[in-house]
Every structure is written in structure tokens, then in C-alpha cells.
Amino acid sequence: MHEVTVYTSSTCPYCTLAKNHLAEKGVSYVEKNVSTDKEARKELMAMGHMGVPVIVIDGQEVVGFDKEKIDNLLKS
């Protein structure tokens, strides 16, 4: 079982693509919406990111909806 966190915003189309992709693969994840959650926004900025989506899979960060990288991390 992978530990997956998805940092999103309410208006981000790539965030929706990323969440749909994870759902299609049957991967459960924690969503942190930086538009509505100040703590999530602080966490994201502390990691050095200003944009979303940022997907963290078992401690590995994927910036943007990089389907190939996501799939590779989920294989291991």
C-alpha cells in the first residue's frame, strides 16, 4: 500500500486529471486543497512549491500531472 498525498486547488484542471488517474488505478490518497486549507498551503510552500498539483508518493514528489512518473512510483 502506497502513501499518497495530492496537493490541489479548487480551480486546477490538472489536479482533477491526477485525482481521476489515481482513482482509476484504485489508489487511495489524501487530498490537501491549498485553496481552502492554510496548513496545506504552508506545507506546500515549505517543500518549495508554489503551484499544484504536487503528488507525494511514498515521500517522492511529482510536480504537475506526470502520468509516467506517477505510474513508475506506484509500481515500486
Side-chain angles (χ1 to χ4, degrees):
M1 189 66 132
H2 296 282
E3 188 174 316
V4 182
T5 304
V6 183
Y7 291 88
T8 66
S9 73
S10 302
T11 58
C12 167
Y14 292 103
C15 298
T16 303
L17 288 172
K19 292 187 294 182
N20 289 344
H21 183 66
L22 291 170
E24 285 169 12
K25 294 193 142 309
V27 176
S28 60
Y29 59 88
V30 174
E31 180 178 359
K32 295 191 176 188
N33 188 322
V34 299
S35 300
T36 58
D37 182 343
K38 285 183 183 177
E39 283 304 311
R41 188 169 32 245
K42 284 181 191 174
E43 286 174 26
L44 188 68
M45 291 173 74
M47 289 189 284
H49 303 296
M50 296 296 288
V52 288
V54 174
I55 302 133
V56 183
I57 301 171
D58 299 328
Q60 297 289 318
E61 296 175 12
V62 179
V63 179
F65 178 49
D66 185 338
K67 193 173 181 178
E68 187 176 334
K69 189 170 182 182
I70 292 167
D71 290 347
N72 285 336
L73 288 172
L74 291 173
K75 284 180 193 169
S76 53

